[in-house]
């Protein structure tokens, strides 16, 4: 009896994928289960059962102004994502399709900034925001994304092959300006890269904890990570309520991924091939 090797390999790969997917889902299931429990039940190790503290945890989360922080994070993340994508795409379009003096050196300097941790310039950034009187606003969490090195690198690599130079020439012949070519011709073509970069930027901004912790002192302007860290008292953290807040916090991310999973996958695949 002959065994079809290709089918056998395919079945083994499918089983491995199913096993890995199951392992990946387990932490989320445990998180949702533990969100219904109190500290005593969690410390007792009964994390595989539904608890009876869901309403108490929900009340604790609501009293911590979690829903206001949710709107704050949504505003900051959406604004940051729009700036990251727009200016990253515009800079990437310039590096990919235009020739100018010291282009390679400038591009290499932009890439080198990706190697510098944010913590290195954090003190200088805080002083800069204080001098500009922006330290008590959301702007320190939003404006730095206008100069995101990864977005420039990502868009440059994608646009190099995705947008032929002949389209620029045809646009100029039709009387279109350079900005018009970028807005009307380039952006529709690079949508897969935009979707992927948007999700990455949104995740980074939504999960950002260090910068909001340093720059935001007003509890009314706290973002989701700050409120999650503050749930409980100075002696004991309320882990059940915190996990409920975390579960609510990942819902926007899951919704975005479910709605745009195909575009994200296409962007990653195309970027890997074109880069």
């Amino acid at each position: 009896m002959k065994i079809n090797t290709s089918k056998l390999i395919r079945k083994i790969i499918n089983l491995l994928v199913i096993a890995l997917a199951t392992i990946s889902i387990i932490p989320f299931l445990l998180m949702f289960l533990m969100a219904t429990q109190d500290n005593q039940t969690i410390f007792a190790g009964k994390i595989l059962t539904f608890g009876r503290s869901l309403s108490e945890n929900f009340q604790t989360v609501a009293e911590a102004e979690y829903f206001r922080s949710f709107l704050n994070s949504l505003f900051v993340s959406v604004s940051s994502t729009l700036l990251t994508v727009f200016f990253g795409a515009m800079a990437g379009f310039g590096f990919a399709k235009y020739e100018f003096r010291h282009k390679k050196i400038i591009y290499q300097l932009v890439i080198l900034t990706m190697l510098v941790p944010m913590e290195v310039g954090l003190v200088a950034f805080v002083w800069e925001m204080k001098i500009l009187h922006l330290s008590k606003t959301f702007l320190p969490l939003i404006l730095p994304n206008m100069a995101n090195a990864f977005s420039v690198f990502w868009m440059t690599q994608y646009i190099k092959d995705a947008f032929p130079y002949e389209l620029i020439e045809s646009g100029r012949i039709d009387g279109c300006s350079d900005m018009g070519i970028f807005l009307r011709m380039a952006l529709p073509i690079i949508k897969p890269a935009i979707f992927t970069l948007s999700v990455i930027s949104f995740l980074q901004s939504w999960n950002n904890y260090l910068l909001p912790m340093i720059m935001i002192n007003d509890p009314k302007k706290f973002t989701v990570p700050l409120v999650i860290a503050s749930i409980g008292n100075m002696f004991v953290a309320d882990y059940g309520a915190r996990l409920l807040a975390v579960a609510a916090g990942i819902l926007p991310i899951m919704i975005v991924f479910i709605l745009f999973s195909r575009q994200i996958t296409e962007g990653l695949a195309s970027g890997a091939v074109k880069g």
Side-chain angles (χ1 to χ4, degrees):
M1 184 177 179
K2 294 183 178 180
I3 299 176
N4 193 323
T5 306
S6 60
K7 288 185 177 180
L8 180 61
I9 294 175
R10 189 177 302 173
K11 288 182 179 180
I12 293 174
I13 293 174
N14 290 337
L15 290 174
L16 288 174
V17 171
I18 293 172
L20 291 174
T22 303
I23 294 173
S24 301
I25 292 173
I26 288 175
F28 292 96
L29 295 177
L30 292 177
M31 178 181 64
F32 287 115
L33 290 174
M34 294 168 68
T36 66
Q37 302 172 352
D38 55 12
N39 280 357
Q40 185 177 358
T41 306
I42 294 174
F43 293 151
K46 301 177 182 179
I47 59 176
L48 298 178
T49 59
F50 283 99
R52 300 180 179 179
S53 303
L54 180 60
S55 59
E56 290 83 354
N57 292 340
F58 184 84
Q59 184 177 357
T60 302
V61 170
E63 290 175 354
E65 300 290 343
Y66 178 81
F67 300 104
R68 175 184 291 171
S69 72
F70 189 93
L71 295 177
N72 292 340
S73 285
L74 194 62
F75 171 75
V76 171
S77 299
V78 171
S79 302
S80 300
T81 300
L82 291 175
L83 290 178
T84 299
V85 172
F86 181 77
F87 286 98
M90 189 160 55
F93 183 71
F95 279 118
K97 295 302 173 183
Y98 290 92
E99 295 296 332
F100 50 89
R101 193 175 183 182
H102 304 308
K103 169 184 170 180
K104 291 184 178 179
I105 297 176
I106 296 173
Y107 182 69
Q108 290 172 355
L109 289 175
V110 172
I111 301 303
L112 283 175
T113 60
M114 296 173 61
L115 304 177
V116 181
M118 181 190 68
E119 292 78 6
V120 173
L122 192 58
V123 175
F125 178 76
V126 172
W127 276 106
E128 181 182 5
M129 293 298 104
K130 286 185 177 180
I131 292 172
L132 296 175
H133 302 288
L134 299 177
S135 57
K136 296 183 180 180
T137 67
F138 289 127
L139 292 179
L141 311 181
I142 298 173
L143 292 181
N145 294 282
M146 295 174 63
N148 187 292
F150 174 76
S151 65
V152 176
F153 169 76
W154 175 266
M155 286 298 181
T156 301
Q157 297 303 312
Y158 191 91
I159 294 173
K160 277 183 180 180
D161 295 325
F163 190 81
Y165 187 79
E166 289 75 14
L167 291 178
I168 298 178
E169 294 178 343
S170 64
R172 288 174 177 170
I173 293 174
D174 292 335
C176 192
S177 63
D178 289 342
M179 182 58 71
I181 293 172
F182 170 71
L183 294 175
R184 299 177 184 177
M185 302 175 66
L187 289 183
I189 292 176
I190 62 174
K191 277 185 179 179
I194 289 176
F195 275 115
T196 305
L197 180 61
S198 297
V199 173
I200 295 173
S201 302
F202 186 88
L203 288 175
Q204 289 178 343
S205 180
W206 185 269
N207 295 324
N208 191 5
Y209 175 75
L210 178 61
L211 197 58
M213 180 184 65
I214 295 174
M215 301 303 304
I216 303 298
N217 298 319
D218 186 359
K220 294 182 179 180
K221 295 181 180 179
F222 276 4
T223 56
V224 168
L226 295 182
V227 171
I228 292 175
S230 68
I231 293 176
N233 55 49
M234 61 183 300
F235 300 107
V236 180
D238 193 338
Y239 292 105
R242 284 190 178 185
L243 287 169
L244 180 61
V246 172
I250 66 171
L251 286 179
I253 300 171
M254 296 178 66
I255 292 172
V256 169
F257 184 80
I258 291 172
L259 292 177
F260 302 108
S261 59
R262 183 173 61 84
Q263 291 88 342
I264 295 169
T265 305
E266 289 179 357
L268 289 173
S270 301
V273 174
K274 297 180 186 300

